[in-house]
Structures are given as C-alpha cells and as structure tokens.
Amino acid sequence: MVAGEFIEVYDDPKQYGTWDCIVTCYFIDTAHNIMEYLDTIRKLLKPNGRWINYGPLLYHWEGVYGERSVELSLDELMRVVRAIGFTVETETTHVATYAANPQSMLKYTYHNAFFVRQYT
C-alpha cells in the first residue's frame, strides 16, 4: 500500500505489466475520471492478470463545485472495461454496509458491484 493519489503513484512505466492482480475495494468511484483509473489498472497488469473489484459507484466528486467528475453507470462501466481488453470471470452485485453500528436505528447500505476481470 502506498499513500498518495492513485494515478500519480501508479501510472509509472516501470510498473507497467508487472502486477499479477489488482484488488480495488470501495475505491474506483473516488476517481475524478474513472477512465483514467481503468487505463492505469490495465497498464499495470501482466497479460492474463486479474482485477478484482468490490464497492459501489457513489462518485465522490459528483456535484462538487469546480471539480470534474466522469460518472458511468455500472452497465456503462462494464462496456468500457470489456472494450479495453478485460474479459468477465465473475460479475455480481451485493447489498452491504460499509460502516454501521448494530445498535443504531440508522443503517446505510450500498449496492456493491463485485467482479473479477482478466486482462488478455
């Protein structure tokens, strides 16, 4: 794990094609432009490398004045992911809490996308 902005830290030609697997958990929706995250993940993976994702698409920058935000629906995202060279291994959705107090009357739930993609 490395602290810093994902693109700045990992979009590094020395790391291209060196990763067997990348796992993103409650993460991909933190991008200003999710396409940049997808491109970086694709470049980092070895051929036949796997990307495992779990989390919602809340898009943290949506509606923030002065911030750009590219927001794709799950269907749109999956079309782009296939178009840049990933094949489907697993694709499901799950209802889950992120952080909740079992004693509370208020609980937030997320509809999370879980998928495993292989880069070919």
Side-chain angles (χ1 to χ4, degrees):
M1 184 171 142
V2 176
E5 200 282 324
F6 179 69
I7 302 297
E8 291 175 10
V9 172
Y10 290 103
D11 194 6
D12 174 3
K14 290 183 274 180
Q15 295 192 57
Y16 293 175
T18 63
W19 293 75
D20 293 308
C21 183
I22 295 174
V23 178
T24 53
C25 184
Y26 285 83
F27 173 70
I28 61 173
D29 61 348
T30 65
H32 282 279
N33 181 343
I34 196 165
M35 310 287 248
E36 291 175 344
Y37 276 20
L38 298 178
D39 187 52
T40 299
I41 291 167
R42 180 187 54 78
K43 288 189 283 189
L44 291 170
L45 286 171
K46 293 179 180 177
N48 299 313
R50 286 178 174 69
W51 172 30
I52 301 168
N53 178 76
Y54 185 76
L57 294 174
L58 296 177
Y59 295 109
H60 296 232
W61 301 103
E62 184 269 326
V64 177
Y65 180 77
E67 296 290 346
R68 64 184 168 87
S69 183
V70 175
E71 301 147 22
L72 303 178
S73 70
L74 182 57
D75 289 338
E76 292 168 330
L77 177 65
M78 293 300 98
R79 279 195 298 270
V80 171
V81 167
R82 284 189 297 275
I84 64 172
F86 285 91
T87 57
V88 176
E89 288 191 12
T90 303
E91 187 174 316
T92 59
T93 57
H94 301 265
V95 175
T97 58
Y98 180 72
N101 178 346
Q103 304 300 317
S104 172
M105 294 176 70
L106 174 64
K107 294 177 179 62
Y108 294 101
T109 58
Y110 297 94
H111 293 264
N112 292 331
F114 172 74
F115 54 82
V116 178
R117 300 288 189 177
Q118 183 175 5
Y119 179 61
T120 53

